[in-house]
């Protein structure tokens, strides 16, 4: 059975890819922090400004390969296409009170 934290993570991914800003805002904690190899501890406003509009960079929505919750963190491994090339990433996401509080993204290379 999936946890509600997993459902929250998947709902945020869907809102991002569909560019449903209202749904994304409802899923992101006020004290949200986002970190990736390209972004160092962005707050909620900076993430919506810099990262949220980038969904058109991807050829299609990502495909989940594995997703589990462990020690209060949802680990989500997924793959996606950019210009016809497949890439894989892993995200470690902390969900607090039904909202995404923190995301750490680890980029993978082309498959």
């Amino acid at each position: 059975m999936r946890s509600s934290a997993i459902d929250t993570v998947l709902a945020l991914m869907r809102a991002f890819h569909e560019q449903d800003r209202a749904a994304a805002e409802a899923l992101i904690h006020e004290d949200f922090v986002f970190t990736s190899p390209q972004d160092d501890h962005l707050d909620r406003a900076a993430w919506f400004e810099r990262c949220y509009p980038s969904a058109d960079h991807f050829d299609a929505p990502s495909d989940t390969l594995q997703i589990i919750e462990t020690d209060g963190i949802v680990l989500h491994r997924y793959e996606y296409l950019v210009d016809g090339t497949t890439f894989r990433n892993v995200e470690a996401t902390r969900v607090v009170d039904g909202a995404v509080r923190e995301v750490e993204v680890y980029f993978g290379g082309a498959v």
Side-chain angles (χ1 to χ4, degrees), residues 12 44 68 108:
L12 180 57
R44 187 176 198 267
I68 62 167

Side-chain angles (χ1 to χ4, degrees), residues 30-84:
E30 288 299 318
D31 295 325
F32 177 76
V33 177
F34 179 88
T35 300
S36 79
Q38 298 174 337
D39 307 289
D40 187 19
H41 292 85
L42 298 181
D43 65 12
R44 187 176 198 267
W47 184 83
F48 272 111
E49 180 181 322
R50 179 187 287 180
C51 301
Y52 182 77
S54 68
D56 64 351
H57 172 75
F58 303 95
D59 295 352
S62 60
D63 291 318
T64 295
L65 301 174
Q66 291 93 21
I67 189 164
I68 62 167
E69 182 178 6
T70 182
D71 297 328
I73 300 292
V74 175
L75 300 173
H76 185 200
R77 183 173 175 256
Y78 58 92
E79 64 182 22
Y80 57 96
L81 292 169
V82 174
D83 296 329

